[in-house]
Amino acid sequence: MTELDPGLVGEQIAESGQISEPVGGREVGRARRRKEDARLLTGHTRWTDNLQQPGMVQVMFLRSPMAHARITRVDVSGARGLPGVLAAFSGEDFAAEQGSLPCAWPVSEDIVIPDHPPMAVSEVRYAGEAVACVVAVDRYRAADALEAIEIDYEPLPAVTDMRDALTPDSPKVHEGGNKAFSARITSGDVEAAFRDAPVVIDRTYVQQRLIPSAMEPRAVLASTDGDTFTLWSSTQIPHVLRVMLAVTTGIPEHRLRVIAPDVGGGFGSKLQVTAEEVLCLLLTRRLGRPVKWSESRSEGNLTVHHGRDQIQHIRLAAEADGRIRGLRVELLADMGAYLMLVTPGVPMLGASMFNGIYKMDAYEFTCTGVFTTKMPTDAYRGAGRPEATYAIERVMDELAAELGIDPLEARRRNWIRHDEFPYTTVSGLTYDSGNYEAATERAMALFGYDKLRAEQADRRDRGDPVQLGIGVSTYTEMCGLAPSRMLGMANYGAGGWEHGSVRMLPTGKVEVVTGTSPHGQGHVTSWSQIVADALGVPFEDITVLHGDTAVAHKGMDTYGSRSLVVGGMAVLRACEKVKDKARRLAAHLLECSPDDLEFEAGAFRVRGTGASRTIQELAFAAFTAHDLPEGVEARLDSDATFDPDNYSFPHGTHLCAVEVDTETGMVKIRSYVAVDDVGKVVNPLIVEGQIHGGIAQGVAQALFEEAVYDVEGNLLTTTMADYLLPSAADLPSFTTDRTETPATGNPLGVKGVGEAGTIASTPAVVNAVVDALRPRGIDDVRMPCTPERVWRAVRGSREGARS
């Protein structure tokens, strides 16, 4: 199945308001257009930056121009007297009440978690750290007034290289040194696996630092009515944020309401408790009026937490036939200047995934987290899993090259067969289901694999300056972040459960309340489809409420591809409770035993008779409460919490063909095929969108994006002119399809999908680039594979050949 034709889709929507008819009379599996889109696409939205409050003022932050320095003097008096300025503050003004931004994941016993003040008081540790602020009647006057603030710095040495940071003579980011933590995981006899191994592959890969670039920049609005506070934020985590803000600021949790209105993308960048959220709350408490902050794009590049930034040393031992014996991973992970909400947990999320889909006897993983004077890193789409998948999929290509066999053959000799599931991997995870053979066969057929290999051989024989490269990525991932017991074993500071409520309204309509908080994933549509099938209520009669802690009072929010497999299942479980209540009421009204009733198409029917009551009729009967059985409340509403027993493990095969101009270094993606297995699919159209978006982000890392600091710790990629994001014109038309092996850990058999495309695509693209250049002795091109880097690699290979 190739990508949907936008023109055809538009015609279908115009004619019928939907993409496909129900499958077997069911909503689940139906490609419906999203309920959210009409409002979002026509501007009827509630972005945080759109919101207004009576008496609202704007805050702007003065940010350090230096990566590392002591603050010796701050004078904000010059700003306070300017027209339109209400107040100006330094970090010292908030020192007693601002607390420390939280880190919720202390991953090891030796971890060092330095204090992280929202506004620097005595020392700055990265360029862009807030050092003062101005509150004014509008953001423009506030920005102008920042120039009147006087600050004196005593420069300190910057620390920008992870490896240098760990040397004894390195300047210290924090008094305790530059090592944040160390962690080690072993399984099997690693020494024996490498001892006398016929084949040993030894490679070092660099995961460059990335800057998340959500469509909507961050924004915060805080208000108070005296003893209660409301905070609107472009956040992925309103519930987590509420708890953490209460702990950080001392505002009682029951006096604090957090609202995530329409949120324009996150990709992990809004999975955070930010300095601006804390400071806006403190400012509104101090000033007694609403305070808003809106981020500029260049400000965001400096201060949105960054992603990736790892150095991976990979050693793989194999038999002469290519069977893997053991794997060693030594990881250096740049934490940046501080540990933010889940910073140290990101590389540890990948610890269990470096083995990928492959069987092996032994595994060793070591990780050292390192402080540098850069913006902290934290979760970015995939969070640790893309990094791990990149390493194992790159090294599998190196194994194939060493043995002189096809890259897919090297994988076939090592992957878990479909008849071996459930399978406990060398890292200790139990994969519940999968069929790597089926996904790969389908991808090869759609890709025309053999034909492309023949064309590649012909180009090589002819010495064509434009070489063809074919890249492979056969991936799996661990997602659906839960279960709580596993997160507890990993020392994570919260659970992984999710909550949902279903309210049957008197007129038969349904309100669904979900603890997950969408930022583009289509929760309103998917949850409506699940509830429509579970209760037999029309799709159009269902609405979904979310993102407000006063409405959805419980939740663990959205990240880690957990919304459907955890949050959707909580909603489904709440539906079952609604039906249980309705069954008792129906039996009473129909004068039969509950056991005599069958439920189908939204109605309870007495077996063998025509007597029935729809669940919507029962909702009205519960509302009137004229004839309720003893012990039955006047409502069918129910809520539920779901905590799965295992992670979700989607998988798939992505194949990429690139044309590499060896004279200019230009890389062009010629074709891209993705066959993913995400278990049962609720809405194919939404899945397609998630896969497409994920691939785009993975391709962007492979070919375009990189956050660059100079040796003084200055970020050089502060604008979109410097930080290259791909446009639609830079990306190919993706060919996508699916295989289906249902998950066994939830009632619908669904698996996560939000991160899959990103995890799979980066190694597929880079493997293709290296494959095109391998005859020249090139076995790696550091990401992003820009024309300059590819050209330099080719030039270096020529010079090496001449010498």
Side-chain angles (χ1 to χ4, degrees):
M1 179 179 67
T2 57
E3 63 178 341
L4 294 171
D5 183 313
L8 177 61
V9 169
E11 291 173 7
Q12 289 176 318
I13 290 174
E15 291 175 4
S16 65
Q18 60 204 32
I19 301 299
S20 69
E21 294 303 313
V23 180
R26 297 181 61 81
E27 283 288 344
V28 170
R30 183 180 185 181
R32 269 198 179 268
R33 67 171 179 173
R34 301 193 316 178
K35 284 185 175 183
E36 304 92 319
D37 284 350
R39 181 175 57 82
L40 294 174
L41 295 175
T42 56
H44 294 82
T45 52
R46 296 178 64 251
W47 311 117
T48 303
D49 191 43
N50 291 348
L51 301 176
Q52 300 292 322
Q53 291 284 300
M56 186 181 76
V57 292
Q58 301 267 351
V59 61
M60 295 290 284
F61 294 99
L62 185 65
R63 301 190 179 277
S64 170
M66 308 186 74
H68 198 194
R70 290 190 182 92
I71 301 172
T72 59
R73 184 180 74 96
V74 182
D75 184 354
V76 299
S77 61
R80 286 174 174 160
L82 294 177
V85 172
L86 282 75
F89 301 101
S90 68
E92 187 65 42
D93 293 322
F94 287 110
E97 59 181 309
Q98 67 178 341
S100 178
L101 295 176
C103 173
W105 204 336
V107 295
S108 67
E109 292 183 0
D110 70 346
I111 194 167
V112 177
I113 304 179
D115 285 343
H116 185 184
M119 190 182 295
V121 177
S122 59
E123 189 170 330
V124 292
R125 293 182 171 88
Y126 65 91
E129 191 168 1
V131 292
C133 68
V134 170
V135 181
V137 294
D138 59 54
R139 62 183 304 184
Y140 307 105
R141 293 193 222 196
D144 290 343
L146 293 178
E147 297 181 8
I149 296 176
E150 298 179 6
I151 300 186
D152 293 337
Y153 297 98
E154 178 187 321
L156 296 170
V159 180
T160 59
D161 185 279
M162 280 186 276
R163 288 163 292 199
D164 292 346
L166 295 177
T167 60
D169 58 349
S170 172
K172 293 182 179 180
V173 181
H174 297 281
E175 186 177 342
N178 296 337
K179 189 175 85 168
F181 70 91
S182 57
R184 183 171 181 264
I185 298 170
T186 62
S187 176
D189 191 337
V190 179
E191 295 297 331
F194 278 85
R195 190 182 305 123
D196 302 323
V199 180
V200 175
I201 307 296
D202 192 320
R203 296 288 187 273
T204 298
Y205 301 122
V206 175
Q207 287 279 326
Q208 79 270 37
R209 178 176 281 246
L210 301 177
I211 300 176
S213 303
M215 181 180 293
E216 178 202 14
R218 294 178 298 152
V220 182
L221 170 60
S223 71
T224 179
D225 62 3
D227 63 348
T228 61
F229 298 82
T230 301
L231 183 117
W232 293 263
S233 181
S234 179
T235 181
Q236 298 174 218
I237 53 167
H239 298 90
V240 173
L241 182 59
R242 182 192 190 200
V243 173
M244 292 301 182
L245 287 174
V247 171
T248 302
T249 66
I251 296 172
E253 187 180 355
H254 67 295
R255 300 290 187 187
L256 178 59
R257 177 184 183 185
V258 174
I259 302 172
D262 295 318
V263 176
F267 317 116
S269 69
K270 296 170 183 175
L271 167 56
Q272 195 55 264
V273 179
T274 69
E276 294 82 9
E277 288 162 334
V278 172
L279 292 168
C280 282
L281 263 184
L282 298 181
L283 286 165
T284 199
R285 180 165 68 180
R286 185 169 293 203
L287 301 175
R289 59 195 301 174
V291 176
K292 182 194 281 187
W293 170 75
S294 300
E295 175 184 75
S296 70
R297 185 64 71 177
S298 57
E299 189 178 22
N301 279 19
L302 272 172
T303 61
V304 168
H305 72 244
H306 292 174
R308 312 291 191 249
D309 209 350
Q310 297 179 3
I311 300 173
Q312 306 168 317
H313 183 203
I314 311 296
R315 297 185 74 233
L316 181 144
E319 302 288 2
D321 64 358
R323 188 186 69 81
I324 301 172
R325 295 171 61 160
L327 180 68
R328 268 197 170 115
V329 177
E330 296 177 23
L331 207 62
L332 286 183
D334 193 335
M335 304 287 98
Y338 300 98
L339 302 184
M340 297 194 77
L341 190 62
V342 296
T343 300
V346 170
M348 300 308 296
L349 277 171
S352 299
M353 299 308 299
F354 275 91
N355 50 276
I357 66 172
Y358 307 112
K359 297 179 286 188
M360 58 190 71
D361 303 321
Y363 173 59
E364 180 180 83
F365 170 90
T366 60
C367 178
T368 302
V370 185
F371 289 119
T372 61
T373 53
K374 302 178 192 173
M375 180 64 205
T377 55
D378 210 304
Y380 178 59
R381 199 169 190 169
R385 278 89 30 95
E387 298 92 314
T389 301
Y390 180 84
I392 189 62
E393 289 304 295
R394 286 286 294 111
V395 84
M396 288 302 292
D397 262 32
E398 297 306 301
L399 175 62
E402 181 72 18
L403 298 175
I405 61 176
D406 187 275
L408 280 170
E409 179 58 28
R411 289 163 168 81
R412 285 192 188 97
R413 295 180 187 182
N414 287 285
W415 66 32
I416 304 159
R417 299 189 312 272
H418 71 278
D419 57 358
E420 295 179 295
F421 289 95
Y423 186 92
T424 301
T425 71
V426 70
S427 64
L429 294 178
T430 300
Y431 297 174
D432 63 329
S433 67
N435 191 329
Y436 310 137
E437 303 98 308
T440 301
E441 288 174 8
R442 181 60 179 153
M444 290 177 68
L446 290 171
F447 191 64
Y449 189 85
D450 294 338
K451 185 177 180 180
L452 284 169
R453 283 293 185 197
E455 180 185 341
Q456 180 186 60
D458 177 63
R459 288 197 187 198
R460 288 177 176 177
D461 290 343
R462 290 188 286 107
D464 193 327
V466 179
Q467 286 290 298
L468 182 66
I470 297 170
V472 177
S473 176
T474 51
Y475 81 99
T476 189
E477 66 152 318
M478 170 191 75
C479 64
L481 278 188
S484 297
R485 60 180 178 81
M486 289 189 180
L487 295 178
M489 292 168 61
N491 211 30
Y492 181 61
W497 51 267
E498 196 47 79
H499 190 261
S501 301
V502 175
R503 303 170 181 166
M504 293 296 302
L505 303 181
T507 57
K509 312 303 181 184
V510 182
E511 286 181 341
V512 177
V513 184
T514 178
T516 62
S517 184
H519 39 279
Q521 297 91 336
H523 292 182
V524 171
T525 300
S526 297
W527 277 218
S528 294
Q529 291 179 268
I530 291 170
V531 172
D533 281 351
L535 299 181
V537 174
F539 174 83
E540 295 76 14
D541 287 355
I542 302 164
T543 190
V544 179
L545 308 177
H546 56 78
D548 183 342
T549 61
V551 176
H553 69 284
K554 292 182 66 176
M556 291 304 299
D557 304 317
T558 296
Y559 41 85
S561 300
R562 69 186 304 274
S563 294
L564 176 60
V565 298
V566 188
M569 297 310 100
V571 169
L572 181 61
R573 181 171 286 183
C575 288
E576 295 304 316
K577 290 185 176 182
V578 167
K579 288 193 291 186
D580 289 343
K581 289 184 176 182
R583 181 180 294 274
R584 292 183 61 190
L585 178 56
H588 174 74
L589 296 177
L590 294 169
E591 298 180 338
C592 68
S593 167
D595 295 336
D596 293 334
L597 293 174
E598 56 185 8
F599 184 80
E600 185 179 1
F604 289 95
R605 293 178 175 82
V606 182
R607 291 185 180 89
T609 74
S612 67
R613 289 287 190 279
T614 68
I615 199 165
Q616 292 176 299
E617 291 172 334
L618 294 169
F620 189 76
F623 166 72
T624 61
H626 293 165
D627 186 13
L628 297 179
E630 186 175 349
V632 171
E633 296 178 336
R635 65 188 185 97
L636 302 182
D637 307 348
S638 298
D639 63 357
T641 300
F642 181 75
D643 198 341
D645 294 328
N646 197 4
Y647 299 110
S648 162
F649 298 98
H651 70 84
T653 297
H654 287 216
L655 300 175
C656 177
V658 300
E659 292 180 334
V660 179
D661 189 328
T662 59
E663 295 178 345
T664 67
M666 186 66 187
V667 176
K668 178 183 178 182
I669 298 179
R670 177 167 139 180
S671 61
Y672 194 103
V673 168
V675 175
D676 296 279
D677 191 321
V678 296
K680 292 285 186 180
V681 171
V682 172
N683 187 318
L685 189 62
I686 289 177
V687 167
E688 290 290 315
Q690 290 285 302
I691 294 294
H692 281 210
I695 294 172
Q697 282 187 270
V699 170
Q701 178 174 7
L703 298 180
F704 298 95
E705 296 186 38
E706 182 174 26
V708 179
Y709 283 85
D710 67 16
V711 294
E712 298 299 324
N714 300 303
L715 182 66
L716 303 180
T717 50
T718 56
T719 71
M720 291 302 184
D722 308 304
Y723 187 82
L724 185 59
L725 291 172
S727 70
D730 297 310
L731 298 171
S733 178
F734 309 126
T735 298
T736 60
D737 202 354
R738 291 184 298 277
T739 57
E740 184 180 296
T741 52
T744 62
N746 61 74
L748 287 185
V750 296
K751 302 177 182 180
V753 67
E755 299 157 309
T758 301
I759 290 169
S761 57
T762 305
V765 174
V766 177
N767 277 341
V769 173
V770 174
D771 184 57
L773 302 176
R774 195 176 293 280
R776 299 170 181 268
I778 297 169
D779 62 14
D780 190 33
V781 177
R782 179 175 165 177
M783 295 187 291
C785 300
T786 61
E788 179 184 358
R789 282 188 175 154
V790 173
W791 179 82
R792 289 188 181 278
V794 173
R795 182 181 180 185
S797 70
R798 287 172 181 167
E799 292 176 350
R802 284 197 294 268
S803 64

